[in-house]
Amino acid sequence: MAENTGARLPHIVVIGAGFAGMQFVREFPGDLARITIIDRQNHHLFQPLLYQVATAGLSAVDIAQPVRAVFGSRPNLDVIMAEVTAIDLVAKRVTHARGELPYDYLVIAAGGVTSYFGHPEWERFAPGLKSLDDALRIRRLILCSLERAETEPDPVKREAAMNIVIIGGGPTGVEVAGALAELTRTVLNRDFDRIDPSKVRVRLIQGGPRVLPSFPPELSECARRQLEKLGVEVLTGVRVESVHEGGLVVAGEAIRADNVIWAAGVGAAPITRRLAGVELERGGAIRVLPDLSVPGHPAVFALGDAAALTDANGLPVPGVAQAAMQMGRHAALTIARELRGERFSPAGRPPFAYRDKGSMATIGRSAAVADIRGRQLSGFPAWIVWLLVHLLFLVGFRSKFSVLLSWTYSYFTYRRGARIITGVSGEGSAGSA
Ligand SMILES: Cc1cc2nc3c(=O)[nH]c(=O)nc-3n(C[C@H](O)[C@H](O)[C@H](O)COP(=O)(O)OP(=O)(O)OC[C@H]3O[C@@H](n4cnc5c(N)ncnc54)[C@H](O)[C@@H]3O)c2cc1C
């Protein structure tokens, strides 16, 4: 990081180096303020491709970039790796694991966490997918289960080891289910002697009437068909009643499965709950004003998944990467204008309006659905669009190159490189992953 020369400049503290925080820093003019970006991880993570790490398609380093490396030579920028534990909105101070930081402006871009809808005890048996550690845990769980099945003499236990249940039929659940069906049927099917991985049962459970509920119904139906073609059993309109070691109960029926993955709920990062006197939505997101500031605190902005807003067009802003990046840009421009001497009251600040560039989900090799400004695509064309968009938004040339190489390799060889099992200390621990 470049030496900090701006001690007398106003100080902006940014909590979170995710899509919103990184975009804020990128867009903010480097000479107007001193910025400290603080994150409990040392890297920016491209969450849309996490499922590919979980399903052995990509390696962890392909989708993460060290924050220090991204902003290498930028002046007036400090990077701190630490967890923020408290925010004092009156004293204008942030407390982190190793100290305190005073701020003139604060940007809360702490993102979200997996939510188990009031059942945190399910987390032990059904990992969510939010961080690299989560993705590696899921990959280990699946690969270790198949290793166990290979030598398991008891047919009931062997079947449980070869059962995968994904809870939640949104984009993450659909992508994980498609990728796991493909992994077991077209990649791992050649690797084992005693078991046939193409017999692995992959079930996708969705509480609502259709998968991908945020997409038009025709694309939901199309996604369902593409999943079923890959061998995924799609169960809609059924609710999970409990999750326990070795299985779960769905609509009164017990399912034995050693591999249960939670893709059902997202809540805001817990730090939002430590803000005294600030109104939160269900799930903990901060209800922000149209300019993205926190009510009563014009120097504090909340962005991305940590914020809840109905935008200037009267539409709720979705919890997606594009929205987080656009919010980062909006807040950066607002603060920069103020620091340049443009005086407008919080109510007079420009309101945020989300520009929806479309949504997409991929369903394994050569299959996807995309809704781009009302234009619906499915199958191979949607998959090509998905591929290009994800490559475009990945941070860093090395990542783009490495991901493109991995995808080309898997496309032509039906193999996946990232299948090494790590983090297993001994024979007995293989099941718990
Ligand atoms: C598996 C998965 C797939 C997804 N797929 C898509 C997709 O295909 N398309 C799409 O548009 N969106 C997708 N999303 C959603 C998208 O990733 C999020 O909307 C986006 O990351 C939100 O950006 P953010 O900046 O608000 O938060 P994040 O990107 O989550 O960043 C928050 C950062 O804050 C840090 N942080 C949190 N709490 C603290 C603390 N107390 N102290 C210090 N640091 C802290 C975190 O470590 C993290 O780096 C997906 C999400 C997931 C989990």
Side-chain angles (χ1 to χ4, degrees):
M1 208 75 350
E3 196 185 328
N4 203 324
T5 53
R8 270 168 287 125
L9 292 171
H11 185 209
I12 304 175
V13 173
V14 179
I15 304 172
F19 285 98
M22 295 291 275
Q23 194 65 21
F24 176 90
V25 177
R26 267 193 210 104
E27 298 281 349
F28 194 84
D31 57 337
L32 275 185
R34 208 159 45 90
I35 297 180
T36 302
I37 185 161
I38 178 164
D39 199 299
R40 59 178 175 209
Q41 320 259 24
N42 80 332
H43 54 264
H44 166 74
L45 177 63
F46 193 80
Q47 292 172 24
L49 288 179
L50 259 182
Y51 82 95
Q52 294 223 351
V53 175
T55 58
L58 292 174
S59 297
V61 290
D62 293 335
I63 65 161
Q65 281 282 315
V67 181
R68 289 182 190 282
V70 175
F71 294 119
S73 57
R74 187 178 157 125
N76 299 326
L77 178 74
D78 278 329
V79 177
I80 296 179
M81 180 188 162
E83 169 122 22
V84 171
T85 50
I87 299 169
D88 186 336
L89 293 174
V90 179
K92 292 191 158 188
R93 211 171 8 240
V94 164
T95 305
H96 61 82
R98 285 192 300 279
E100 283 194 344
L101 288 169
Y103 65 81
D104 297 298
Y105 282 94
L106 175 65
V107 174
I108 304 170
V113 287
T114 304
S115 163
Y116 286 82
F117 302 137
H119 290 281
E121 71 280 8
W122 293 355
E123 197 270 345
R124 256 185 80 203
F125 314 112
L129 186 56
K130 194 69 194 151
S131 66
L132 276 181
D133 285 339
D134 292 340
L136 295 175
R137 182 179 164 199
I138 291 172
R139 191 175 83 186
R140 188 161 58 238
L141 178 74
I142 306 287
L143 295 179
C144 282
S145 287
L146 291 179
E147 292 296 338
R148 223 170 37 254
E150 174 83 341
T151 52
E152 178 57 65
D154 180 340
V156 176
K157 287 187 182 164
R158 190 165 58 238
E159 192 187 322
M162 293 178 67
N163 273 349
I164 300 175
V165 178
I166 297 120
I167 304 168
T172 299
V174 164
E175 292 185 336
V176 169
L180 284 176
E182 197 179 69
L183 175 73
T184 48
R185 279 143 185 78
T186 62
V187 181
L188 298 178
N189 58 335
R190 293 167 287 187
D191 285 8
F192 290 82
D193 296 321
R194 297 181 189 85
I195 58 161
D196 177 1
S198 64
K199 299 269 168 15
V200 166
R201 245 178 120 172
V202 182
R203 274 172 275 204
L204 177 66
I205 294 185
Q206 163 70 340
R210 60 186 174 99
V211 296
L212 300 181
S214 58
F215 285 63
E218 310 81 63
L219 287 184
S220 293
E221 190 43 41
C222 190
R224 184 192 182 110
R225 279 200 307 273
Q226 293 182 55
L227 282 168
E228 286 173 347
K229 204 168 146 201
L230 278 173
V232 177
E233 296 168 45
V234 181
L235 294 109
T236 48
V238 286
R239 295 218 168 257
V240 171
E241 285 157 22
S242 72
V243 186
H244 50 267
E245 181 150 24
L248 67 168
V249 177
V250 181
E253 189 204 337
I255 299 177
R256 282 184 66 113
D258 287 352
N259 310 286
V260 182
I261 298 165
W262 185 264
V266 185
I271 190 66
T272 60
R273 295 193 163 79
R274 312 233 175 109
L275 293 166
V278 170
E279 199 189 324
L280 302 180
E281 289 283 292
R282 227 170 124 238
I286 301 166
R287 174 139 289 284
V288 291
L289 295 173
D291 65 332
L292 305 177
S293 70
V294 174
H297 302 278
V300 181
F301 290 75
L303 316 176
D305 286 3
L309 172 72
T310 300
D311 78 354
N313 301 320
L315 297 169
V317 180
V320 294
Q322 268 301 325
M325 290 167 76
Q326 290 175 26
M327 286 174 154
R329 179 165 198 273
H330 188 87
L333 297 182
T334 301
I335 297 176
R337 281 174 68 180
E338 269 182 11
L339 291 179
R340 285 201 172 107
E342 224 174 297
R343 289 274 154 232
F344 34 55
S345 64
R349 285 173 176 171
F352 174 75
Y354 174 56
R355 287 177 306 283
D356 188 353
K357 295 185 179 164
S359 37
M360 50 188 83
T362 174
I363 308 144
R365 184 191 167 80
S366 309
V369 288
D371 179 23
I372 298 162
R373 295 182 175 162
R375 197 152 173 237
Q376 297 176 10
L377 296 174
S378 62
F380 188 70
W383 184 71
I384 289 289
V385 173
W386 176 92
L387 201 124
L388 293 175
V389 167
H390 283 74
L391 274 181
L392 190 74
F393 282 102
L394 258 179
V395 175
F397 174 75
R398 202 203 73 90
S399 298
K400 288 184 207 287
F401 184 70
S402 158
V403 167
L404 184 62
L405 209 67
S406 295
W407 284 349
T408 311
Y409 171 76
S410 339
Y411 189 84
F412 288 109
T413 64
Y414 284 87
R415 290 188 178 276
R416 291 195 198 173
R419 276 156 47 197
I420 304 300
I421 302 173
T422 55
V424 181
S425 52
E427 211 179 309
S429 57
S432 58

